[in-house]
Amino acid sequence: MCGIVGIVGKTPVNQSLYDALLVLQHRGQDAAGIITCEGDKLHLRKDKGLARDVFQTRHMLRLLGNIGVGHVRYPTAGASSSAESQPFYVNSPYGIVLAHNGNLTNAEELKHDLIVDDLRHLNTESDSEILLNIFAHELQIQGKLRIDEQDIFRAVAGVHRRCRGGYAAVAMIPGFGVFGFRDPHGIRPLVYGRRETAEGTEYMIASESVALDSNGFQIIADVAPGEAVLITVDGELHTRQCAASPALSPCIFEFVYFARPDSIIDNISVHKARSRMGKKLAAKIKREWSSHDIDVVIPIPDTSRTAALQLANHLGLSYAEGFIKNRYIGRTFIMPGQKVRKKSVRQKLNAIDLEFRKKNVLLVDDSIVRGTTSRQIIQMARDAGANRVYFASAAPPVRYPNVYGIDMPAASELIASGRTEEEVGRELGTDGLIFQDLPDLIEAVQKKGKSHVQRFDTAVFDGVYVTGDVTPEYLQALEARRNDAAKETRLPTNESAIDLHNDY
């Protein structure tokens, strides 16, 4: 999962790019990067770490230019090293910069084609570099000395013909402009907007609307599935549908967990969707557990707060904040080793004993993935003096890995994989467990009767992958790359490889 942003401005864009990355930081905490363009000259700063640590004053002063692209990364493919930080750059043709969010499911096939047939060289194991080179080749074969918007759209159409999976990308060609495109299913989010300044109209393309809001941009629209949006250096906006058969199927897990609550994705408010999840879950408890003895509803911060509050209100129960979160600990379900993950949970949350003591508590979380965090939190509630500890998930059981850009663990490491809900409850050590039903989740996000989204990617819950190309063999190979053992033994690539471009 990553966050991407591109800006065409009338004045230097370095500060706006940095500010956008700060509000997109939740989408990736492994690395950050910005490339700006001053005339025909590119300026780069990227490294491992949070945006606030990667960019110091001396770096910002050198990021000159009125157009640029930024990226925050959490790796789902390739190694976790500075060499694989984005944006990526290729010199031929014209010089192209690209930042990518997602995952290509046919990356190995594309890699072979690029090296053998297209005669292009790859420096990393990242599928983002593959995507960049596919686009570069599709642009190069047009044989144009000077390009226009039609050439960009033809190249994006070529990307859609060759690439499969979930991908949203923002790219830049020096002296020409910034453009963004989204896969034909629109799995990963992408939105664009404008702001008026004394110098003229400026444009931004970003992963989430919150990046536009925080910088004073007004939303124009979500990039449609298969669509490309181009802004030239002169500020001309061009759009084109570049896919043969686009079909909007956004990732529903964006609404469950990843997106910020103040974002709007495909015209759906993330906050409102999570509120409706709480109402749906409360209705299920009324149907199936009307004789419950719950005293208080306590959310597991932060994503589940909205759903938990609505659940409590609709059940007529008390709501309390029972956990204090240390905001300087990263997400636990995507940490590389189980030992590190277990340690980090206790560092991340601390219970307020008074909210638990001698009470029957319903803990509410957005989802249950590995179960490691949930199991420890349930024990923390018991240690804090709770009589009984129940657990509710605002999402259905996660039984299948994500293949479209979320580093969700291998199937064998998902607690609900191969287990019934009752078995999951026993594994967690809870006195009672209730999951959201998938139809209810879909209806909660869809805002039935009002949304133009007719289908979501719900593969992590039902194993139905919308691109139609995910085979058991692919999932087996994916598991070999993503399991804890593989991550712990994977050596980082050459950390010094980026220093040649990143020495300021």
Side-chain angles (χ1 to χ4, degrees), residues 194-239:
R194 69 164 67 89
R195 70 179 175 189
E196 302 299 332
T197 70
E199 291 78 14
T201 304
E202 300 181 322
Y203 292 90
M204 176 188 286
I205 307 172
S207 291
E208 293 184 35
S209 62
V210 65
L212 280 70
D213 298 338
S214 64
N215 279 279
F217 286 79
Q218 299 297 313
I219 297 173
I220 297 174
D222 294 280
V223 177
E227 186 180 33
V229 174
L230 165 67
I231 304 103
T232 67
V233 290
D234 298 325
E236 295 182 0
L237 173 66
H238 305 271
T239 65

Side-chain angles (χ1 to χ4, degrees), residues 168-358:
V170 174
M172 174 176 68
I173 297 178
F176 180 74
V178 169
F179 54 97
F181 55 91
R182 197 175 178 194
D183 74 79
H185 293 278
I187 297 171
R188 300 266 70 87
L190 197 64
V191 64
Y192 65 105
R194 69 164 67 89
R195 70 179 175 189
E196 302 299 332
T197 70
E199 291 78 14
T201 304
E202 300 181 322
Y203 292 90
M204 176 188 286
I205 307 172
S207 291
E208 293 184 35
S209 62
V210 65
L212 280 70
D213 298 338
S214 64
N215 279 279
F217 286 79
Q218 299 297 313
I219 297 173
I220 297 174
D222 294 280
V223 177
E227 186 180 33
V229 174
L230 165 67
I231 304 103
T232 67
V233 290
D234 298 325
E236 295 182 0
L237 173 66
H238 305 271
T239 65
R240 175 71 56 83
Q241 177 53 253
C242 300
S245 302
L248 181 60
S249 306
C251 175
I252 205 165
F253 215 74
E254 290 277 358
F255 299 92
V256 171
Y257 178 70
F258 265 103
R260 273 184 45 149
D262 45 347
S263 283
I264 298 173
I265 298 176
D266 292 311
N267 203 34
I268 299 171
S269 163
V270 176
H271 170 75
K272 287 295 187 181
R274 290 175 183 166
S275 177
R276 291 189 291 267
M277 290 177 207
K279 295 177 185 177
K280 292 288 187 182
L281 197 54
K284 182 175 181 178
I285 291 174
K286 286 181 179 180
R287 288 194 312 269
E288 300 184 3
W289 192 19
S290 58
S291 60
H292 67 78
D293 57 352
I294 302 166
D295 296 317
V296 62
V297 175
I298 294 179
I300 297 171
D302 288 313
T303 323
S304 63
R305 280 197 173 104
T306 305
L309 181 58
Q310 288 298 326
L311 184 152
N313 287 341
H314 279 73
L315 291 179
L317 296 172
S318 298
Y319 171 92
E321 293 287 342
F323 294 103
I324 298 300
K325 184 176 182 180
N326 181 344
R327 301 186 183 279
Y328 303 97
I329 300 294
R331 287 176 173 151
T332 55
F333 83 79
I334 50 180
M335 287 186 174
Q338 192 76 0
K339 186 182 296 183
V340 176
R341 192 177 302 110
K342 286 182 177 179
K343 181 180 178 182
S344 71
V345 175
R346 286 285 181 172
Q347 294 173 333
K348 186 175 182 178
L349 293 175
N350 192 45
I352 302 173
D353 291 4
L354 290 175
E355 299 295 350
F356 293 90
R357 194 172 299 151
K358 297 182 180 179

Side-chain angles (χ1 to χ4, degrees), residues 12 21 37 48 61 68 71 77 112 138 150 156 182 184 224 246 270 272 318 325 333 352-353 373 410 412 448 489:
L21 293 185
C37 180
K48 293 190 67 175
L61 290 173
H71 186 268
H112 174 271
E138 293 296 319
Q150 302 306 322
V156 172
R182 197 175 178 194
V270 176
K272 287 295 187 181
S318 298
K325 184 176 182 180
F333 83 79
I352 302 173
D353 291 4
T373 303
S412 62
K448 192 173 182 180
T489 58

